[in-house]
Amino acid sequence: MTQMMELIGICCSSLSPECAVELLPSRFSFINSSPTPSHHRRRHHHHHLFSRPPIHATTYHSFRNPPPTSATTSSTCYTPRRRSSRSKFACCSSLPRPQPPAAAAASEFQGDSGSASSSPDDSSVAAAAPAAEEDDFSHVIKFNMSDFNISDRVSVGLTSRADEVIFEATVKDVNNPLHNTKVVLRRLTSAHAKRRGRRAIEVLRRLARRRLMYHSYSMQVYGYVSSSSTGDTGAFTLVHGYHGSFSLRHWLQQSDWFPTLEATLALDEESARKVGDDTIGGPAVSRQLRLIRVLMRDLLIGVNYLHSHGLAHTELRLENLHISPVDKHIKVGILGNAADLYESCSETLNSKIDRREMMIAFDMRCVGYIMAKMVLTELMDSSVFMKFKAFLTKGNDSSCLREFLLPTIYRNSSSGNTGLQILDRNWGAGWNLLSLLLATKPSQRIRWRIDPSMDIIKWNLGSTAVRITEEYIYNQQQRRRLAHFIELMEMLNLHSKPRHWLELLPGKWRFLYSTGRHIGLTLRQPPSRVLIGDVRLTVSKASMPNANFSVVSDVEFTVMVGRDWPHNKVGVSGKLQVESLFRLKSGRRMYLDAEDSPKRFPSLTGSAEGSVLKILSSKKWKKIIPIKEFPSSLPVVKLVSGDIGLTMMLNGPLGSDVEKAQQVIHELRTQIPPEIFDLSKIVCGTYVDSRLLILRSVNGSALLLTRSCK
């Protein structure tokens, strides 16, 4: 897990051996910083509770009297109107009870689900409830309703379901250890709700053995209210801690959530050091990144705390996370739906599926959704989030999330987007962590123990190369850096066999950069001014016996009319399409000696290879990639092309002008790389993964492409 935290820059300070033993069970390797009790070093901050709730709010209710004790007083308690159990911002399924493995696996691939229907034994469960309270709940406090002063307001962050009624109260019994403590009374009416309440008390017995962790990262469950004191034997009232007036969802919905939450947490230098920062303050992006690191650190510690005790939360979402005004830690809910990781597997579930791994993967996906909403506030819009979630449920690779979200981010933010900058920092480490948390297959999601992998290095190199190409200022220094990164990625390619390419190559790829020539419109006066749009390669498996793939090159362009084209880019749209069949063969890319390459290939020099070798010889890279000299050859996949077909479509009146069409084709051939216009010039593939593709042409230039989501 240390590597997981480093992906987003969360570098924590070292623990003492005693704290490490307390914090880490033997089967997990996650935390390397001690959760110092914040109430010893931070001031107590009070939150203002709203004085008058809006009538139309469904999550903000008024209670003028205590919970009803008879039918005559029940009308004085305003209960929330019924609504669907699915929250419109929910990131995970709302599981009504700990599910068997088959149900967990089903929810893994079906997305959000509502409350399940009642089971046949609900009545017997309700009948046995009083006995269970007396026998199984000896480790918690048994309250009477007379022990509380009931408040006439409920904070907006204490959202409830249709089968729950929420009260805020203060313990007034002077003999109670919680005297003058503010608590929440959660009155549970349905059989499923009562089962959740009793489950929250049951898991407390297991969690409370480590008091420091429990009080820091879990919502404290104090006990229950005796049914005899309420006069309502059909309900179960849970008493748990009050941790502020806002849930994390309500924090993020505020227009000024960042400065307000930053002031509430009152981050000091000790907090900054725990997430890898030497100082506090700085630019707004750095401060927001630091704040999200602190929140993610607390969330991951709390989730690991549950997993290390054999429990899966199964209901992690923004509505169930609260930030305590006392110790400033995130609380991970009352655990009414916590599932046992070591429960025996159902007979109906495939024997190869490990229940523990499946449930941990389920929780990690929920953590990924929470992280995405915290960083990219555009996802707080339900319609945008549903598209985001649909992209993943359709089986798309999570490593393409950046390419998928870029249009949405740029559409909602004309200037720099803070969330995009945060995820792009540290060589794209945030995108890497997000893709690992939200991997489509549960087996591919990140776990607490991570083996060092070359994938992180390749991700960093690719992310940096993509960021450079987006700057559109290709001076000599940038071109040299891009050539270095492409060479390094080719040397680290793990998919060099044709069978790997048969699996990874199909799909749509967007052209980013070519190490060859770059000719634009700035210093020329062509007869037809053509503005190049998106350039894509579409690769699909061919059904013909002598070909593996069909490759189609699509070039979108605009022919600009008039003299005001530098300021007005409106014109006649068109599309150029080049198609060819390819066959894959194994091969090797030979590197020539520096003195021989200028004679045989004047376009090649040894500067790129020499610079790469110099980089790999440095101390920073020597430990990771033990390469003493540049290799004489590397394994590649040879691409043998067939016949080429070319089609151009030009809209408007220009479509019937043959001379104009010839001028447009000539201008397209001038601006785009020759390999895009003539696919037969692509001779080999040197790098491919789920996100990036590198192809080499006959003259040695490289084409860098990223997987497209369109």
Side-chain angles (χ1 to χ4, degrees):
M1 186 57 203
T2 303
Q3 291 89 344
M4 182 203 299
M5 304 290 273
E6 289 176 351
L7 293 177
I8 198 171
I10 308 178
C11 304
C12 305
S13 58
S14 301
L15 268 178
S16 64
E18 296 79 12
C19 294
V21 171
E22 170 65 17
L23 194 56
L24 285 176
S26 59
R27 59 182 179 274
F28 291 100
S29 61
F30 166 40
I31 306 301
N32 63 350
S33 62
S34 174
T36 306
S38 300
H39 58 273
H40 291 310
R41 56 183 172 83
R42 291 173 175 165
R43 299 189 303 272
H44 187 112
H45 294 266
H46 297 279
H47 288 265
H48 171 68
L49 298 180
F50 299 108
S51 59
R52 187 177 300 275
I55 297 176
H56 63 275
T58 60
T59 59
Y60 189 75
H61 315 289
S62 174
F63 298 92
R64 298 298 180 184
N65 291 295
T69 57
S70 65
T72 59
T73 61
S74 62
S75 61
T76 61
C77 178
Y78 297 96
T79 59
R81 64 188 182 189
R82 182 168 295 276
R83 61 175 183 172
S84 171
S85 61
R86 182 189 301 181
S87 170
K88 87 177 196 177
F89 291 105
C91 68
C92 311
S93 301
S94 298
L95 306 178
R97 56 179 173 175
Q99 293 184 338
S107 64
E108 177 69 44
F109 300 102
Q110 292 176 1
D112 291 351
S113 61
S115 299
S117 58
S118 299
S119 58
D121 59 346
D122 284 346
S123 59
S124 60
V125 172
E133 292 178 3
E134 301 295 335
D135 298 338
D136 300 335
F137 299 161
S138 58
H139 59 291
V140 295
I141 302 174
K142 180 180 179 181
F143 293 92
N144 292 318
M145 191 55 68
S146 58
D147 296 337
F148 304 102
N149 282 326
I150 307 298
S151 174
D152 62 348
R153 297 286 187 273
V154 173
S155 300
V156 68
L158 298 176
T159 56
S160 62
R161 306 186 187 204
D163 53 2
E164 298 178 355
V165 182
I166 306 298
F167 301 87
E168 288 183 21
T170 304
V171 180
K172 66 179 181 179
D173 184 4
V174 295
N175 297 320
N176 194 298
L178 299 175
H179 177 59
N180 281 338
T181 300
K182 193 170 186 177
V183 297
V184 177
L185 307 182
R186 191 176 293 265
R187 184 170 174 268
L188 312 172
T189 56
S190 71
H192 286 300
K194 287 182 281 189
R195 187 183 292 113
R196 291 195 302 268
R198 294 189 178 93
R199 176 62 174 169
I201 295 179
E202 290 171 6
V203 300
L204 173 63
R205 190 191 301 272
R206 186 184 303 181
L207 294 177
R209 291 196 298 264
R210 286 157 63 184
R211 294 286 179 179
L212 177 62
M213 292 293 294
Y214 172 72
H215 287 292
S216 295
Y217 301 104
S218 293
M219 184 174 288
Q220 286 78 47
V221 176
Y222 299 125
Y224 64 99
V225 177
S226 172
S227 58
S228 60
S229 68
T230 62
D232 185 2
T233 58
F236 180 82
T237 303
L238 188 70
V239 182
H240 62 82
Y242 172 82
H243 299 294
S245 59
F246 277 4
S247 67
L248 189 54
R249 169 193 166 186
H250 291 88
W251 275 112
L252 297 178
Q253 286 179 323
Q254 306 300 309
S255 58
D256 58 345
W257 72 271
F258 167 56
T260 307
L261 187 55
E262 185 182 40
T264 302
L265 291 176
L267 300 179
D268 52 15
E269 293 186 359
E270 180 182 357
S271 302
R273 282 194 298 270
K274 286 184 177 181
V275 295
D277 287 341
D278 296 331
T279 59
I280 59 176
V285 176
S286 299
R287 288 162 43 218
Q288 185 168 333
L289 173 59
R290 187 181 302 116
L291 176 65
I292 292 175
R293 284 174 175 174
V294 170
L295 297 178
M296 283 295 297
R297 175 183 180 272
D298 271 13
L299 176 59
L300 290 170
I301 291 175
V303 174
N304 179 68
Y305 169 55
L306 300 179
H307 291 174
S308 65
H309 284 76
L311 295 170
H313 193 290
T314 75
E315 206 176 18
L316 285 167
R317 56 187 183 185
L318 294 175
E319 293 87 343
N320 292 336
L321 301 178
H322 291 76
I323 300 176
S324 172
V326 179
D327 60 12
K328 311 299 186 297
H329 284 309
I330 282 186
K331 312 299 179 180
V332 293
I334 61 174
L335 306 176
N337 282 328
D340 196 330
L341 295 178
Y342 302 100
E343 185 176 302
S344 59
C345 292
S346 171
E347 295 293 334
T348 60
L349 188 65
N350 191 318
S351 58
K352 294 183 179 180
I353 298 180
D354 186 347
R355 173 187 171 84
R356 174 176 172 273
E357 295 297 321
M358 178 67 74
M359 299 306 292
I360 290 178
F362 185 85
D363 275 358
M364 300 315 291
R365 183 185 69 167
C366 297
V367 172
Y369 284 142
I370 292 171
M371 173 184 167
K373 288 185 175 181
M374 284 197 297
V375 179
L376 300 170
T377 54
E378 292 85 0
L379 296 179
M380 292 300 294
D381 185 339
S382 60
S383 61
V384 176
F385 179 72
M386 291 306 295
K387 293 178 182 178
F388 171 78
K389 193 171 184 180
F391 171 80
L392 296 171
T393 55
K394 288 178 181 178
N396 293 296
D397 199 292
S398 58
S399 62
C400 302
L401 280 174
R402 188 180 187 275
E403 180 75 9
F404 170 74
L405 289 171
L406 275 181
T408 301
I409 293 174
Y410 286 147
R411 183 170 59 249
N412 296 336
S413 177
S414 56
S415 58
N417 182 277
T418 303
L420 181 63
Q421 295 179 50
I422 289 175
L423 294 174
D424 281 341
R425 284 198 172 190
N426 301 320
W427 296 43
W431 290 111
N432 191 13
L433 176 58
L434 198 60
S435 68
L436 293 175
L437 289 171
L438 297 176
T440 304
K441 296 181 180 179
S443 59
Q444 296 176 349
R445 287 188 203 137
I446 200 168
R447 297 293 188 271
W448 297 117
R449 185 183 298 277
I450 302 176
D451 297 327
S453 173
M454 196 69 68
D455 292 337
I456 298 177
I457 300 174
K458 294 191 298 181
W459 181 283
N460 293 344
L461 291 172
S463 297
T464 305
V466 172
R467 290 289 296 116
I468 295 175
T469 62
E470 291 176 348
E471 295 177 3
Y472 295 109
I473 306 174
Y474 300 138
N475 56 34
Q476 190 62 32
Q477 182 181 4
Q478 288 174 310
R479 292 175 62 82
R480 189 181 299 112
R481 289 184 64 194
L482 280 169
H484 294 170
F485 288 137
I486 290 174
E487 290 279 358
L488 286 171
M489 292 170 63
E490 290 174 332
M491 295 183 65
L492 302 178
N493 182 34
L494 300 178
H495 306 124
S496 57
K497 297 182 179 180
R499 59 184 177 86
H500 298 148
W501 286 69
L502 288 173
E503 178 183 356
L504 294 171
L505 190 56
K508 290 185 178 182
W509 301 87
R510 183 169 64 90
F511 171 72
L512 294 177
Y513 179 78
S514 171
T515 58
R517 66 183 184 185
H518 290 266
I519 301 175
L521 290 172
T522 306
L523 302 178
R524 298 185 301 114
Q525 295 294 330
S528 294
R529 294 180 176 88
V530 179
L531 183 64
I532 307 296
D534 288 334
V535 178
R536 289 184 172 84
L537 291 183
T538 303
V539 183
S540 56
K541 292 185 178 181
S543 57
M544 301 181 65
N546 60 342
N548 299 113
F549 293 108
S550 170
V551 180
V552 179
S553 170
D554 292 309
V555 181
E556 298 177 0
F557 61 89
T558 301
V559 180
M560 294 175 289
V561 181
R563 298 182 178 181
D564 197 29
W565 65 268
H567 309 287
N568 185 3
K569 297 299 190 290
V570 178
V572 179
S573 61
K575 185 176 182 180
L576 175 69
Q577 192 173 83
V578 184
E579 183 176 0
S580 181
L581 296 176
F582 279 87
R583 183 162 42 92
L584 301 184
K585 295 174 61 177
S586 297
R588 299 191 70 84
R589 181 188 175 204
M590 307 300 295
Y591 288 92
L592 303 176
D593 293 336
E595 59 272 12
D596 295 337
S597 58
K599 299 176 182 179
R600 299 182 58 185
F601 298 96
S603 61
L604 291 179
T605 62
S607 59
E609 290 83 352
S611 300
V612 171
L613 181 58
K614 184 178 180 180
I615 293 174
L616 296 179
S617 302
S618 62
K619 293 183 179 180
K620 179 179 179 181
W621 290 90
K622 189 177 293 185
K623 296 180 180 179
I624 305 173
I625 310 174
I627 297 178
K628 296 182 180 180
E629 60 181 10
F630 201 85
S632 59
S633 65
L634 288 175
V636 297
V637 172
K638 293 177 63 178
L639 302 174
V640 182
S641 66
D643 296 335
I644 295 177
L646 187 146
T647 306
M648 189 181 74
M649 293 173 288
L650 195 59
N651 300 326
L654 297 180
S656 58
D657 190 340
V658 177
E659 182 180 357
K660 191 69 174 180
Q662 292 176 346
Q663 294 175 356
V664 170
I665 292 179
H666 179 76
E667 183 63 20
L668 288 173
R669 295 194 63 176
T670 303
Q671 292 193 44
I672 64 176
E675 299 82 11
I676 299 296
F677 189 84
D678 185 359
L679 295 176
S680 63
K681 293 183 180 295
I682 300 176
V683 295
C684 67
T686 56
Y687 182 88
V688 67
D689 60 18
S690 60
R691 186 177 56 139
L692 295 174
L693 171 67
I694 298 176
L695 303 174
R696 287 279 179 175
S697 69
V698 67
N699 64 359
S701 61
L703 302 179
L704 177 63
L705 302 99
T706 183
R707 193 177 294 275
S708 175
C709 303
K710 291 186 178 181

